[in-house]
Amino acid sequence: MRTGKLVMVVVATLFLVGTGTAGAMGIEAAVGGWRQSPSGSLGYDAVDDGDILDMEENFRYSEEEGFMGRVVIDMPLVLPNIYLMANTMEFSGTGQMGEAFKFGDISFDPGEFDSEISLNHLDVALYYGIPLLETASLGLVDINFGINIRLYDYEVSIHQELSGLDESEDGFLPIPMVFLWVRVSPIDELSFEVEGRGITYNGNDMYSIIGRVKMNILGPIFAAGGYRYDKLSVDESDVEMNIEFSGPFLEAGFSF
């Protein structure tokens, strides 16, 4: 996989954090792992339905662990707050097709093939909270809304050992989204959170929903767990994806 570009994503995240914390009123940071279960289908320059490959039946991908890292910066005055989140999505395996199929400019023979898919991405959200809601609810409810840009760095490759055929496609896909974040804190040490990011345009659908339970365990240190669901249904640059990823996650971090 393209680990070099993933490093660039992490560096960009740290740079944005560094520029934002100088005048920030508060910061929250966490790292963890997300167990991703893939489903759906993918094709590259497909001619007919026989060129659309199923993630489970054809690619034969199974669950994988992905990295999650996030930083939330509460900005002062009228500046929008900043939410940065980096995620890795990388799958590989040996698949099977009963008939010949086309992928990109290559027509592959029936039989086994090796493949890799990478959908690493960075979310950058700018948001505001509903004025005075947290104060009026005595800290019980906090609702935030804004815009999110998801920056996908994707790569898909197929290699067939017997025929010696190879094909790959990679690219960079920025996606603007609506952002919503709701937190309910019945006590100071415990909170329930739901994050939503999504957009629909020209037949393309992209959604990401995160449910999280977070508990402070020692001072500013907290542990959290929850469930995440992502849907990516898009046809861009001859790459047709209708993919879903879902599964539980755990994370640890600090806030002050």
Side-chain angles (χ1 to χ4, degrees):
M1 296 297 179
R2 299 186 297 179
T3 55
K5 289 197 173 183
L6 177 57
V7 171
M8 291 177 63
V9 168
V10 174
V11 170
T13 302
L14 294 175
F15 173 77
L16 289 170
V17 170
T19 58
T21 53
M25 297 176 62
I27 183 170
E28 176 175 309
V31 294
W34 173 26
R35 188 151 187 84
Q36 303 158 354
S37 178
S39 63
S41 59
L42 182 147
Y44 172 33
D45 199 17
V47 175
D48 53 42
D49 291 344
D51 300 327
I52 304 297
L53 281 65
D54 187 88
M55 297 286 282
E56 297 170 286
E57 295 182 7
N58 303 130
F59 286 111
R60 293 186 175 175
Y61 292 152
S62 57
E63 293 181 339
E64 296 285 353
E65 295 288 347
F67 166 81
M68 294 177 63
R70 62 188 183 90
V71 176
V72 182
I73 305 168
D74 289 329
M75 299 299 291
L77 303 176
V78 296
L79 296 175
N81 302 309
I82 303 172
Y83 192 143
L84 308 171
M85 183 166 62
N87 296 268
T88 62
M89 287 184 178
E90 299 185 348
F91 300 88
S92 62
T94 299
Q96 177 79 33
M97 284 290 286
E99 300 178 354
F101 65 97
K102 182 177 179 292
F103 190 82
D105 295 327
I106 305 297
S107 293
F108 289 88
D109 297 333
E112 290 189 344
F113 61 91
D114 297 319
S115 70
E116 295 183 342
I117 291 179
S118 171
L119 282 170
N120 299 326
H121 58 274
L122 173 68
D123 284 291
V124 181
L126 302 177
Y127 69 93
Y128 290 98
I130 295 179
L132 302 179
L133 175 61
E134 190 173 13
T135 301
S137 65
L138 301 179
L140 178 63
V141 180
D142 183 23
I143 300 178
N144 304 274
F145 59 93
I147 59 172
N148 184 89
I149 302 295
R150 174 162 293 183
L151 307 172
Y152 273 109
D153 177 27
Y154 68 87
E155 181 178 22
V156 184
S157 63
I158 288 181
H159 169 71
Q160 197 166 49
E161 187 70 27
L162 290 178
S163 65
L165 297 172
D166 291 276
E167 181 62 293
S168 65
E169 171 67 1
D170 60 76
F172 179 75
L173 181 61
I175 301 174
M177 295 174 162
V178 175
F179 174 72
L180 178 66
W181 186 11
V182 179
R183 288 180 287 189
V184 178
S185 302
I187 58 176
D188 291 341
E189 295 79 14
L190 177 67
S191 65
F192 302 90
E193 305 179 357
V194 176
E195 298 175 25
R197 297 168 176 84
I199 192 171
T200 299
Y201 68 96
N202 295 333
N204 298 324
D205 298 304
M206 286 140 285
Y207 301 102
S208 179
I209 301 173
I210 297 174
R212 178 187 298 109
V213 179
K214 185 172 68 178
M215 177 172 290
N216 281 76
I217 55 177
L218 181 62
I221 300 173
F222 65 82
Y227 197 86
R228 175 171 172 174
Y229 168 82
D230 276 28
K231 177 182 179 181
L232 181 62
S233 180
V234 60
D235 188 353
E236 296 284 348
S237 301
D238 296 324
V239 176
E240 183 179 342
M241 291 183 282
N242 187 10
I243 305 174
E244 298 178 1
F245 303 93
S246 60
F249 67 87
L250 293 172
E251 62 181 13
F254 65 88
S255 61
F256 57 84

